[in-house]
Amino acid sequence: RSLRGYESFTSVAATAEATTMEDHSVDFVAAGQAFHWFEPGRARTEFIRILRPGGWTVLVWNTRRGQGKRALFLQAYERLLDTYGTDYGEVGHGRHGSQEEVRAFFAPSPFEAATFDNRQVLDLCGLKGRLLSSSYVPAEGEPNSAEMLRDLERTFHEHQENGAVTIEYDTRVYYGRLW
């Protein structure tokens, strides 16, 4: 909905392995955080099929930092995810996007990597939205959801500064041309 005003934007209800897009129809394929849902070999084949010659593939992960000034909040947030996450141990933060996975996905094609500082400054509503956007936590109304949201609110109030908390990330970007 947010992008519907852009003529060049097209949204497709499909998977990374079967995009339904035409052969050689895109210049750029990007995946952020969702790579853990892909079957990498089939997704790679599909990306090669839809990319125009010379097209780029970009994989992006935000890895939360657990050190520094905001470490106590981030540690409390991790405990909340460990406690209430439905499958956090399998798909959650820091569990995917290893150099080995990336290397295997791009192989035999070369790729480049870059890391950037990133952060989210969130009020309570934003933090709740951030939490509920994660696939590995119970959605509102599901078992443990109400308790999780109460714990989130308590955690926020214990660690907020001036009505906000900050989640600091290392944003890791891997990019290359597949062949």
Side-chain angles (χ1 to χ4, degrees):
R1 284 189 313 231
S2 298
L3 299 173
R4 71 175 153 225
Y6 294 90
E7 290 178 25
S8 297
F9 177 76
T10 302
S11 179
V12 178
T15 66
E17 300 82 4
T19 64
T20 73
M21 301 178 81
E22 293 181 26
D23 291 358
H24 312 295
S25 61
V26 300
D27 294 310
F28 195 88
V29 174
Q33 300 291 124
F35 187 77
H36 68 270
W37 293 112
F38 297 0
E39 194 289 299
R42 289 181 47 226
R44 184 182 197 286
T45 299
E46 179 70 353
F47 293 177
I48 290 170
R49 185 188 70 76
I50 67 173
L51 281 165
R52 290 186 180 108
W56 290 88
T57 298
V58 180
L59 306 176
V60 181
W61 280 270
N62 284 314
T63 304
R64 278 190 300 278
R65 294 179 186 160
Q67 302 173 357
K69 178 181 174 185
R70 296 172 178 92
L72 293 177
F73 165 68
L74 292 173
Q75 290 166 6
Y77 188 73
E78 284 293 320
R79 281 192 301 275
L80 186 129
L81 295 174
D82 286 333
T83 300
Y84 297 103
T86 55
D87 57 350
Y88 183 62
E90 290 80 39
V91 300
H93 163 74
R95 306 311 199 270
H96 294 278
S98 70
Q99 284 283 349
E100 295 78 28
E101 286 178 301
V102 171
R103 191 173 292 109
F105 177 78
F106 278 99
S109 307
F111 66 94
E112 300 291 327
T115 302
F116 304 93
D117 292 333
N118 192 3
R119 68 178 53 198
Q120 288 181 301
V121 179
L122 303 165
D123 61 11
L124 180 57
C125 184
L127 183 62
K128 178 181 175 184
R130 169 70 194 90
L131 175 68
L132 292 174
S133 73
S134 300
S135 63
Y136 44 76
V137 300
E140 284 187 278
E142 290 183 356
N144 295 323
S145 173
E147 186 179 353
M148 175 186 71
L149 293 173
R150 280 192 300 274
D151 280 357
L152 180 72
E153 189 169 338
R154 179 189 47 75
T155 299
F156 175 85
H157 288 297
E158 287 176 5
H159 297 281
Q160 62 84 26
E161 294 177 18
N162 300 316
V165 293
T166 300
I167 301 176
E168 294 178 335
Y169 300 95
D170 289 319
T171 297
R172 296 179 291 141
V173 180
Y174 301 97
Y175 57 98
R177 293 183 170 109
L178 299 173
W179 61 70

